[in-house]
Every structure is written in C-alpha cells, then in structure tokens.
Amino acid sequence: MIARVRAGEPEAYAELVRAHTAIALRAATALGAGADAEDVVQQAFVKAYCSLGRFRESAAFKPWLLSIVANETRNTVRTAARQRTLAGREAALVEAEPLIPDSADPAVATLETERRAALLAAMEKLGEEHRLVVTYRYLLEMDESETAQALGWPRGTVKSRLNRALRKLGRLLPDFQPREGGDERE
C-alpha cells in the first residue's frame, strides 16, 4: 500500500486513512486529546503523509502512525492546556466510543462504569512512560512488538515498563479483578 502512495496514487492513502482512523482516534483520546482528538488525528495523518519518504518499507504502518499520533497529542495537550482534568479525559473517552451497549443490564453497566473510572484514576497516578505502555498494549490492543515500534523502545524495555506499570496498578487497585476471557496476545 505504501508503495502505491509513493507512486502517487491518491486513493491508496485514502485507504490507509480509512483503515487507521478509528485506532488513531482511540489513541489520541486515550492519551488525553479529549475534544481535540479529531484535529490531532488529522494533523497526524498530514505529518505521516509528509514523512512517508522516511518510512521503512519493512516496518508496520500502524505503530509508526500511532507514534505520530502520540507526539501530536502530546504537543496539542501541552499547547492547549497544561493540565486536563481526569473528568475531561473520561468524558471524551466515553463520547468517543460507547463502552456499554444500551441494552445492557443497568447493574452491569454501573459496575463497568465504576471499574473504568477507577482504572482511569489509577492510570493518572502512573508516570508518563508507564501510562503510555499500558495504553498502547491494552487500551489500543497492540502486541509487544507493535508497542515497541510505536514507542521507539526496545522490546525488553516495553516488557519491563509494562511489568512495573501493572504491578503499580495492582497496588493502586487491590480489589480490581480483570474480566474473564481477556485476550493476552504476545
């Protein structure tokens, strides 16, 4: 696909944009862009297009794009407001993607909302590197190698930081039990 874009085929880049917009929006929202998520993603796609000459053919596009999204989000958040509140981030995340279907049992929906709020509050207490690795690995459902590529870290660094982050989250959320049937991809 990248070869088609480099060859000047405009529809090829449009296909890449369509294929990766949802995950890019999730990444920007999860990393704190809030209401600016669409602008961040649009700017990230423009920067990605302008930087295609530096993209390695053997690399995967998604992690490369998400690293651009993460940088753009960081820049936007830093410029727009030095500190976004947890409530603002949570509201943006809830608006971006419905977490609980309308048909769900109200008790289950309430429990899921409480679990998510507790998890987001605990993630706010992590350092940026730990928050990033947990976000990429679990919220964006990337495997270790994709996470390493997106963050520009060696795979061993991803493993060690993820391990430390999960231990810290475990201490912050002692009563938190993961949902049954979680997908652990390596």
Side-chain angles (χ1 to χ4, degrees):
M1 181 81 64
I2 300 297
R4 289 176 43 211
V5 175
R6 286 179 175 161
E9 192 178 320
E11 183 56 31
Y13 198 68
E15 288 176 36
L16 278 175
V17 170
R18 282 191 295 272
H20 294 91
T21 296
I23 188 109
L25 281 169
R26 281 180 39 210
T29 302
L31 294 172
D36 296 325
E38 288 182 6
D39 293 336
V40 165
V41 169
Q42 183 176 13
Q43 188 62 31
F45 276 117
V46 169
K47 285 187 176 183
Y49 184 80
C50 293
S51 300
L52 275 177
R54 294 189 311 257
F55 179 73
R56 290 188 340 259
E57 284 290 332
S58 61
F61 183 76
K62 181 172 79 170
W64 182 71
L65 173 67
L66 291 180
S67 67
I68 296 171
V69 170
N71 289 334
E72 236 0 82
T73 300
R74 219 177 348 264
N75 293 342
T76 298
V77 168
R78 196 176 308 141
T79 301
R82 291 287 172 202
Q83 301 262 336
R84 288 198 186 269
T85 64
L86 174 61
R89 285 186 185 180
E90 185 176 336
L93 199 56
V94 169
E95 288 174 19
E97 187 174 3
L99 302 173
I100 302 166
D102 293 333
S103 62
D105 177 352
V108 172
T110 300
L111 191 60
E112 284 295 315
T113 301
E114 288 172 2
R115 287 169 50 99
R116 182 165 200 80
L119 180 59
L120 288 172
M123 285 196 51
E124 280 295 310
K125 294 177 181 173
L126 297 177
E128 182 180 2
E129 291 176 339
H130 290 152
R131 192 171 41 250
L132 278 172
V133 75
V134 169
T135 297
Y136 276 71
R137 182 69 176 88
Y138 293 107
L139 298 180
L140 299 177
E141 300 173 358
M142 296 175 76
D143 63 28
E144 276 180 8
S145 61
E146 289 175 321
T147 300
Q149 184 181 351
L151 294 173
W153 299 343
R155 195 167 174 181
T157 302
V158 168
K159 282 184 172 190
S160 65
R161 288 184 181 159
L162 185 60
N163 184 287
R164 284 188 209 108
L166 293 177
R167 280 199 323 256
K168 185 164 186 179
L169 282 174
R171 287 191 302 273
L172 293 169
L173 300 165
D175 299 328
F176 190 80
Q177 295 296 317
R179 274 183 268 177
E180 294 295 317
D183 178 14
E184 281 297 313
R185 299 180 320 175
E186 288 298 330

